[in-house]
Amino acid sequence: MIISGYRAVWIFAMFDLPTDTKKARKDYTYFRKNLLKDGFTMLQYSVYVRHCASEENADVHYKRVSAFLPPDGEVRLLTITDKQFGRMHTFWGKMRKPAPAPPRQLELF
């Protein structure tokens, strides 16, 4: 979907964070809560996704996530287009379920 000349994208946040100490669990919870506060939703365990109206908007969220990174562990961010997201195949056992529809966006002229 193109909005005012911008390409809508999805940001994936994938992470592997330690939870072996009380401090590590607190850091994990802080990171996850901030992802949710920034509009990310859980796609599957340790994989969160957020829709952005443009690549410029995605850059804003990259900066936000980098501001609340935990001190330990690994976090990866990946940006893909709406079209690529639509090609995702989701399987539950051997049955394929349709990918969730992208959110409706306002079109500006």
Side-chain angles (χ1 to χ4, degrees):
M1 168 187 304
I2 304 271
I3 301 173
S4 298
Y6 294 99
R7 181 171 48 176
V9 296
W10 291 85
I11 301 175
F12 280 75
M14 302 166 282
F15 54 92
D16 186 13
L17 304 177
T19 57
D20 56 341
T21 67
K22 186 175 182 178
K23 167 105 171 67
R25 285 188 296 278
K26 186 175 179 178
D27 291 340
Y28 170 90
T29 301
Y30 175 80
F31 179 73
R32 184 181 172 280
K33 283 184 178 181
N34 276 290
L35 280 178
L36 295 171
K37 194 161 108 175
D38 194 37
F40 283 81
T41 57
M42 189 169 75
L43 189 64
Q44 65 184 56
Y45 189 69
S46 295
V47 179
Y48 286 67
V49 64
R50 186 190 198 293
H51 188 263
C52 296
S54 67
E55 292 176 3
E56 290 78 10
N57 181 244
D59 288 339
V60 169
H61 295 286
Y62 266 70
K63 289 175 185 167
R64 285 185 188 166
V65 171
S66 67
F68 58 78
L69 287 172
D72 294 315
E74 184 176 348
V75 176
R76 294 174 188 253
L77 298 178
L78 172 71
T79 304
I80 64 170
T81 65
D82 268 345
K83 186 173 183 177
Q84 291 167 326
F85 186 85
R87 292 180 183 159
M88 185 184 319
H89 293 261
T90 304
F91 295 92
W92 293 81
K94 293 188 179 192
M95 309 239 352
R96 182 179 189 280
K97 285 193 172 187
R104 294 182 55 124
Q105 297 291 316
L106 214 51
E107 290 190 26
L108 306 173
F109 295 94

